[in-house]
Amino acid sequence: MNHDQTLSIFALGGLNEVGKNMYALEYGSEIILIDCGNKFPDESLLGIDLIIPDLSYLLENKERVKALLVTHGHEDHIGGIPFLLKKINVPVYATRFTLGLIELKLKEHKLLSETELVEINDHSKVKFNDISVEFFKVTHSIPDCLGIVFHTPEGKVVHTGDFKFDLTPAKQDEQSDIHKMAEIGQEGVLLLLSESTNAERPGSTPSEQMVGTHVEEAFLKAERKVILSTFASNISRVQQVVDAAQKTNRKLALLGRSMVNVVEVAMERGYLQVPEGMIIDQQEINETEPEKVAILCTGSQGEPMAALARLSTGNFRGVEILPGDTVIFAAGPIPGNERSVTSIVDNFFALGAKVIYGSGSSSGMHVSGHGYSEDLKLMLTLMRPKYLIPIHGEYRMLYQHKLLAESVGVEEGNTFIMNNGDVLEIKHSIANQSRKIQAGNTYVDGIGVGDVGDLVLRDRKQLSEDGMLVIVVTMSKTERKLVGRPDVITRGFVYVSDSEEWQKEMNRLISKTVSELLEARKFQWNVMKQSIKKAVGQYLFKHTKSKPMILPIIIEI
């Protein structure tokens, strides 16, 4: 074992943001990766489907990347895996349920047959050259979640994964292994990477059992159909819906591709118990008495193409929401999604439905899967780390986590609030934030990965806001002069009301610009195009205060 090496820890995603989590440990000839997630774009990223981490540094060090360890099966931890494996084919270590979700993705990308998938659990041990790894069980809002312990020559590094402490989870075998965490802490932890999503929220996360009671109450009170929307991956919530449907003698229909896929994986692998004959096809909903039907669907975050949004606008073929139906939002809106969720709630009210919505504590239909401040303090107390890197959160959350750490004994100056690409180096058990590597966003647009850069996005933004003008100029090849009037074609650009006068003025301006260039014997097309763009752009901004995209086309005949 070589003690002259430096241990490096960095993130390619998940710091100063919530989403696309990807972390790495580097020691000697080895790089071990933790998670590889995606993030969904906001409204400013026009046409972008997904955001994944920038893998440039890993591609430069391809031969040193030894494995990908996956903490759990949420999209922001597994969504980028197919894109990583297309570039670097490494073994993927994950629990049974998480592997089921990863397999769905690999089938879709036609990578399943060539990928080495290794099933692990909280008792597994994995040995690399200088680093060995063990795991511990944590509670989250999806089954089979793990924290990871790295035994390195410098000392122990612990990654918590996403976690909360719930002493009464929906399933008892999903309890956090507090005893094992305490043992790890007693042996000494050099560095803790711990999630920060709810660092600002005081107290402890409410128990999942609270939700089961509220779901059952709502089902008992419902007079007609019940439509409940939640994250497909929240299997304990799905089980609570199944139990409530069974108690109220209802059949259950699943709407949304991800809901159908995840429920299939969970049933097949024994994580979800559904009575035989309970699940019905979408076509059977209308054939069954309304008071005997429950619908479980995706779309709790207001996604416009998900089942819930389409139901709210009456655009889901064969399924209609009628007055007296009950609609339950069993997931809190992620920050940024509030407006689209509110719009869907309004639509359901307009259809006459009874709607149960709001943040988890107000409706009782959702509890967070992420630990509040007291949960984070308990993790810090159990692990007793020398150093802390708060992860999985925006800057204010990471900063709040730092304050929590200092309140339970982590020395001031030993918490590192970092950005993606910042590297923490540890040598002789002393940590320093020293260098940076390339990290950022890679945009997935259709089948293109990384094809769309800032310039393309800038063009899309300009097109969406101000539209475009295509200017077609026809010239005589032999006589070097204009043939006829220029043609101006507009798309998405609103010009001044007197369009005929405007057209004449544009033609005059373009003709004048071209003629002046020809007199100055400037025949180069690129010079001519730039001059037309400049003259027309200045004119339009002066008269309309807008900046459409201008595309001059020169045709020689």
Side-chain angles (χ1 to χ4, degrees), residues 358-542:
S359 63
S361 52
S362 64
S363 68
M365 292 296 176
H366 175 66
V367 294
S368 178
H370 302 274
Y372 290 11
S373 58
E374 292 302 316
D375 300 59
L376 301 187
K377 280 156 75 175
L378 177 54
M379 180 64 82
L380 285 158
T381 306
L382 290 167
M383 291 296 174
R384 298 189 293 185
K386 180 178 180 183
Y387 297 110
L388 169 71
I389 300 178
I391 59 169
H392 199 299
E394 292 161 7
Y395 191 91
R396 64 185 188 283
M397 302 165 188
L398 307 182
Y399 186 81
Q400 192 60 38
H401 200 166
K402 168 185 180 286
L403 299 181
L404 294 173
E406 288 169 6
S407 77
V408 294
V410 174
E411 275 186 42
E412 200 173 331
N414 280 8
T415 298
F416 295 89
I417 298 180
M418 296 171 26
N419 290 311
N420 296 328
D422 290 346
V423 179
L424 187 75
E425 293 192 328
I426 301 177
K427 192 159 188 181
H428 308 309
S429 299
I430 305 296
N432 287 297
Q433 196 177 316
S434 52
R435 60 189 174 100
K436 279 182 85 73
I437 59 166
Q438 185 174 329
N441 294 331
T442 298
Y443 300 124
V444 179
D445 182 0
I447 57 168
V449 180
D451 301 342
V452 176
D454 291 338
L455 283 173
V456 174
L457 286 171
R458 197 178 68 197
D459 286 350
R460 286 181 182 179
K461 190 169 188 294
Q462 189 181 0
L463 284 167
S464 73
E465 289 174 354
D466 292 322
M468 69 184 287
L469 263 83
V470 179
I471 298 165
V472 183
V473 176
T474 310
M475 293 179 61
S476 164
K477 199 172 186 177
T478 50
E479 296 177 36
R480 296 277 189 191
K481 68 175 188 179
L482 279 172
V483 178
R485 292 186 315 177
D487 279 333
V488 179
I489 304 154
T490 69
R491 288 291 180 271
F493 170 66
V494 181
Y495 47 77
V496 288
S497 51
D498 189 355
S499 57
E500 202 175 315
E501 199 55 46
W502 178 85
Q503 196 80 22
K504 278 183 190 171
E505 186 57 35
M506 289 291 289
N507 287 339
R508 190 192 65 73
L509 178 66
I510 296 161
S511 302
K512 180 174 176 275
T513 305
V514 173
S515 300
E516 283 173 359
L517 287 168
L518 293 174
E519 279 170 25
R521 307 193 67 75
K522 291 180 179 172
F523 302 127
Q524 298 98 323
W525 281 19
N526 61 334
V527 174
M528 208 169 273
K529 285 179 179 180
Q530 286 303 321
S531 301
I532 292 169
K533 270 176 85 166
K534 188 178 176 184
V536 171
Q538 286 172 346
Y539 171 81
L540 289 176
F541 187 72
K542 184 180 174 186

Side-chain angles (χ1 to χ4, degrees), residues 344-356:
I344 291 173
V345 170
D346 282 346
N347 291 345
F348 280 122
F349 272 120
L351 293 171
K354 179 189 173 190
V355 190
I356 301 171

